[in-house]
Amino acid sequence: MKFDVLTLFPEMFTPLTASIIGRASKNNYIKINITNIRDFSKDKHKKVDDTPYGGGAGMVMRADVVYDAYKSVATKESKVIYLTPQGKTLDQEKVKNLSKEKHIVLLCGHYEGIDQRVIDEIAPEEISIGDYVLTGGELPAMVLIDSVSRYVEGVLNKDSIQEESFSTGLLEYPQYTRPEIFYNRQVPEILLSGHHEKIEDWRKKKSLEITYNKRPDLLEKLTLTNEEKQYIENLKENKN
Ligand code: ADE
């Protein structure tokens, strides 16, 4: 999987050299290439933006500069994404689907935005990472790269993906490690029992319970077994 990022602030992407994503890049499971849009300015002062037609606050990124940067990396096969609060909100299903792409081009806006004509010309998919406004698309691009890369073969071990929050549609069960007692709090007895089936059952119930308590909206999207439905009903009536 290759990511090409188009940005005015390449230095913002150093966090991707650390931890799991950094290792995945080093081991060539993913490739992250950052292009500075400013390199495509034809202006002797390397100007990339200008005042908005019609007036108003801030600066707008020029269509020609952004388009040249885009042309330098995109091919017919590229999936092109523009990070914007106007886009569809990123969720785990979208993340999973994007992980099947071979090449993702991420266009990051800054200032008051990008000249609409280049957006119309490129017609990228528009993605938001939530209903709040950031100073630019750089953090959203990193969020997307991180979440999508986790599904790329070799980046994580397979069990981590299967058990995590959202992949099953449920939030994850709680985890514990040594010491066995911490400020008078015991690790749940069942986890020390070595009884794998019972542990699995306990974890499943905890997942249901946590999802019911913290994000009941997620349960509505799932097809639950009768046993799971009954467990939720009991939770509602405080019977478990
Ligand atoms: N650019 C600014 N805010 C954003 C958001 N919430 N999601 C994606 N891109 C953005």
Side-chain angles (χ1 to χ4, degrees), residues 82-87 107 109 127-141:
Y82 173 38
L83 289 313
T84 164
Q86 294 185 11
L107 174 58
I127 291 183
S128 163
I129 61 160
D131 288 340
Y132 41 82
V133 182
L134 299 162
T135 54
E138 283 76 11
L139 288 167

Side-chain angles (χ1 to χ4, degrees), residues 101-119:
E101 299 286 343
K102 283 203 169 66
H103 183 212
I104 296 180
V105 176
L106 297 164
L107 174 58
C108 306
H110 227 92
Y111 312 125
E112 289 308 305
I114 302 179
D115 188 307
Q116 186 59 39
R117 291 167 297 175
V118 71
I119 305 298

Side-chain angles (χ1 to χ4, degrees), residues 9-202:
F9 300 95
E11 65 277 16
M12 284 184 76
F13 289 84
T14 43
L16 296 178
T17 59
S19 184
I20 294 171
I21 302 302
R23 192 176 60 218
S25 293
K26 262 188 219 116
N27 295 337
N28 292 319
Y29 291 115
I30 56 171
K31 177 153 178 47
I32 304 169
N33 182 49
I34 315 285
T35 294
N36 191 344
I37 295 172
R38 196 173 298 280
D39 292 344
F40 293 83
S41 169
K42 294 188 185 79
D43 184 79
K44 69 170 181 253
H45 304 294
K46 292 276 164 208
K47 224 170 117 71
V48 291
D49 54 3
D50 217 321
T51 51
Y53 278 119
M59 300 292 269
V60 177
M61 287 164 71
R62 287 176 56 118
D64 51 355
V65 181
V66 171
Y67 193 66
D68 288 348
Y70 157 77
K71 278 302 221 186
S72 77
V73 297
T75 70
K76 280 201 190 82
E77 278 76 49
S78 311
K79 174 81 180 169
V80 186
I81 294 169
Y82 173 38
L83 289 313
T84 164
Q86 294 185 11
K88 199 159 171 265
T89 311
L90 187 66
D91 62 14
Q92 199 66 17
E93 194 189 342
K94 183 77 206 166
V95 164
K96 222 180 275 183
N97 286 334
L98 287 174
S99 72
K100 293 169 195 148
E101 299 286 343
K102 283 203 169 66
H103 183 212
I104 296 180
V105 176
L106 297 164
L107 174 58
C108 306
H110 227 92
Y111 312 125
E112 289 308 305
I114 302 179
D115 188 307
Q116 186 59 39
R117 291 167 297 175
V118 71
I119 305 298
D120 294 343
E121 180 63 29
I122 296 172
E125 177 164 350
E126 299 189 355
I127 291 183
S128 163
I129 61 160
D131 288 340
Y132 41 82
V133 182
L134 299 162
T135 54
E138 283 76 11
L139 288 167
M142 279 189 268
V143 167
L144 189 145
I145 291 171
D146 187 290
S147 56
V148 170
S149 297
R150 299 175 70 260
Y151 280 103
V152 174
E153 181 103 31
V155 175
L156 292 185
N157 81 46
K158 288 207 171 86
D159 293 348
S160 320
I161 291 190
Q162 269 157 22
E163 286 176 19
E164 75 194 355
S165 291
F166 293 113
S167 287
T168 56
L170 294 173
L171 299 179
E172 207 178 345
Y173 50 79
Q175 297 277 20
Y176 301 87
T177 186
R178 286 176 189 78
E180 235 180 86
I181 300 172
F182 168 73
Y183 282 98
N184 258 335
R185 294 170 190 272
Q186 262 278 354
V187 170
E189 203 65 43
I190 184 84
L191 300 178
L192 309 174
S193 70
H195 198 301
H196 296 300
E197 254 170 58
K198 282 191 180 157
I199 291 173
E200 210 175 296
D201 184 58
W202 180 87

